[in-house]
């Protein structure tokens, strides 16, 4: 599990800073969630576009295939940009 903090979101993509164990931003990732793909905020599933700047999100890497997932078993998200901070 990885934790990311939302930097920005548009109708096409979401940008997050992945945080280390001290909550320091180490990598900035921009991805394009699939249409209708959701994230859990305050125990409710909502669309990614509802995650505002500063919101912390959990991400998962599946051990059997590489990719970024909002929940185990969800479809892989298309990563469009990665930047080391």
């Amino acid at each position: 599990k990885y934790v990311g903090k939302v930097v920005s979101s548009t109708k096409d993509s979401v940008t997050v800073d992945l945080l280390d164990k001290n909550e320091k931003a180490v990598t900035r990732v921009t991805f394009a969630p699939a249409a209708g793909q959701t994230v859990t905020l305050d125990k409710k599933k909502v669309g990614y576009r509802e995650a505002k700047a500063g919101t912390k999100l959990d991400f998962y890497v599946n051990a059997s295939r590489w990719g970024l997932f909002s929940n185990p078993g969800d479809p892989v998200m298309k990563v469009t940009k990665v930047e080391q901070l």
Side-chain angles (χ1 to χ4, degrees):
K1 174 177 128 176
Y2 295 87
V3 176
K5 186 188 253 185
V6 176
V7 175
S8 64
S9 64
T10 69
K11 67 180 186 82
D12 298 318
S13 67
V14 178
T15 300
V16 299
D17 284 348
L18 296 179
L19 307 176
D20 67 10
K21 65 181 181 179
N22 297 315
E23 297 198 5
K24 178 185 174 206
V26 292
T27 303
R28 182 165 288 174
V29 179
T30 300
F31 59 92
Q37 193 165 7
T38 61
V39 63
T40 303
L41 296 177
D42 298 322
K43 299 181 182 178
K44 292 188 321 187
K45 286 194 173 195
V46 299
Y48 265 94
R49 303 326 181 263
E50 295 182 47
K52 304 298 181 208
T55 302
K56 287 185 183 173
L57 304 175
D58 293 333
F59 295 94
Y60 300 86
V61 175
N62 188 322
S64 63
R65 61 186 175 132
W66 193 93
L68 190 61
F69 305 86
S70 54
N71 290 293
D74 279 359
V76 67
M77 290 184 282
K78 179 181 176 185
V79 175
T80 58
K81 183 178 179 182
V82 176
E83 174 185 353
Q84 297 301 315
L85 300 176

